Amino acid sequence: MEKETLLAGLKKELGEPAANGYLGDTGVTIRTLEKYAEALLPTISSDDVANDGFYKAHAEVVKAMGGQMRFEQAEFVKSYKPNKNHDTGNPPNHNEDELYDDFKRRLDALEKEREDDRKTFAIEKMRSELLSKSVEFNVSNKPLWDDVVRQIAYVDGMDAKAMEAKAKEDYECKLKSYFGDGVSPYGGDGGFGGGDDKSLESFFQKKIDEGKFPGKK
């Protein structure tokens, strides 16, 4: 995105500079807005990000900046004591750079929060899509598949393909651990333990042989 495009979108929400140099009633000058835009540009991954909601949200941040500037200027004027030897009759200009630095830190915190939200949304979207793939994969034990997918620990850099591979690995391992080698992980009816009566019979026979289920007398 071009800086001019970003500035145009922000000024649409804030207003054009008035005779006093401030944008609308914000108390923020175009110079400060330009510095804000320069700091914001690297965080915009694509033009699609800069929708109406985006401009409205950042316009509120700029308005808050202006409110803080006006407050600090008023406090400065109230506490200002002119130097009798060098007084010109006017207090020095308020240092906008210091205020900008403060709000740059706030912007960084806001962007980190937004990035965390985007990351959480992306992870949950991958997880949701993977849950729905139980039909495509024709898993033999859907409840187990769902549990495995929900319990996958996200690792930085993990994409949908990597999450799918991890889900299959964990699912197949747990299915074998719970039901033995006689149950196929895929191609079943999504039921309790397998895809057919033979698989289920094999499961119960294994438990009988282990002494966990009573055998037929």
Side-chain angles (χ1 to χ4, degrees):
M1 171 176 282
E2 297 293 331
K3 177 182 173 181
E4 290 71 21
T5 303
L6 178 58
L7 283 171
L10 291 171
K11 285 193 288 186
K12 183 178 178 182
E13 295 291 331
L14 300 169
E16 293 292 333
N20 59 8
Y22 295 137
L23 294 159
D25 60 353
T26 63
V28 172
T29 65
I30 188 65
R31 174 173 172 269
T32 298
L33 185 66
E34 287 179 348
K35 294 187 71 173
Y36 182 85
E38 289 169 2
L40 186 58
L41 273 174
T43 70
I44 302 175
S45 56
S46 70
D47 289 358
D48 294 338
V49 172
N51 54 25
D52 289 344
F54 170 89
Y55 284 118
K56 288 183 183 299
H58 283 283
E60 290 302 315
V61 175
V62 174
K63 289 176 182 178
M65 288 173 62
Q68 182 67 16
M69 286 178 181
R70 287 194 296 266
F71 172 77
E72 295 198 12
Q73 286 172 339
E75 290 296 304
F76 177 83
V77 170
K78 284 194 297 184
S79 61
Y80 175 68
K81 294 181 180 180
N83 186 322
K84 293 182 179 180
N85 296 325
H86 301 92
D87 182 30
T88 61
N90 295 307
N93 291 331
H94 190 78
N95 190 342
E96 286 190 358
D97 288 339
E98 291 182 5
L99 291 173
Y100 166 75
D101 289 341
D102 177 52
F103 278 97
K104 175 63 168 61
R105 287 191 291 271
R106 298 189 192 188
L107 173 63
D108 290 342
L110 177 63
E111 287 305 317
K112 184 180 184 305
E113 183 178 337
R114 287 183 59 213
E115 182 59 32
D116 289 344
D117 288 343
R118 284 195 293 266
K119 181 177 178 180
T120 298
F121 176 79
I123 293 170
E124 291 310 310
K125 184 173 183 289
M126 287 194 298
R127 204 182 299 275
S128 177
E129 291 175 348
L130 195 51
L131 284 169
S132 68
K133 284 192 173 184
S134 61
V135 176
E136 177 185 333
F137 297 151
N138 196 17
V139 300
S140 61
N141 192 313
K142 185 177 183 301
L144 180 59
W145 171 263
D146 290 349
D147 286 345
V148 166
V149 172
R150 291 190 181 102
Q151 292 172 14
I152 291 175
Y154 177 81
V155 179
D156 282 343
M158 177 182 280
D159 58 11
K161 187 174 182 180
M163 182 177 280
E164 178 183 310
K166 178 63 175 172
K168 285 184 174 181
E169 178 185 352
D170 290 354
Y171 166 69
E172 292 166 11
C173 181
K174 287 191 175 184
L175 191 71
K176 181 177 180 180
S177 174
Y178 293 164
F179 303 111
D181 296 325
V183 178
S184 173
Y186 310 103
D189 60 6
F192 170 67
D196 51 33
D197 292 341
K198 184 176 181 181
S199 296
L200 193 58
E201 182 179 344
S202 174
F203 165 73
F204 281 112
Q205 184 59 53
K206 177 176 173 58
K207 296 303 177 185
I208 291 171
D209 294 342
E210 293 174 350
K212 296 180 180 179
F213 287 173
K216 294 181 180 179
K217 295 183 180 179

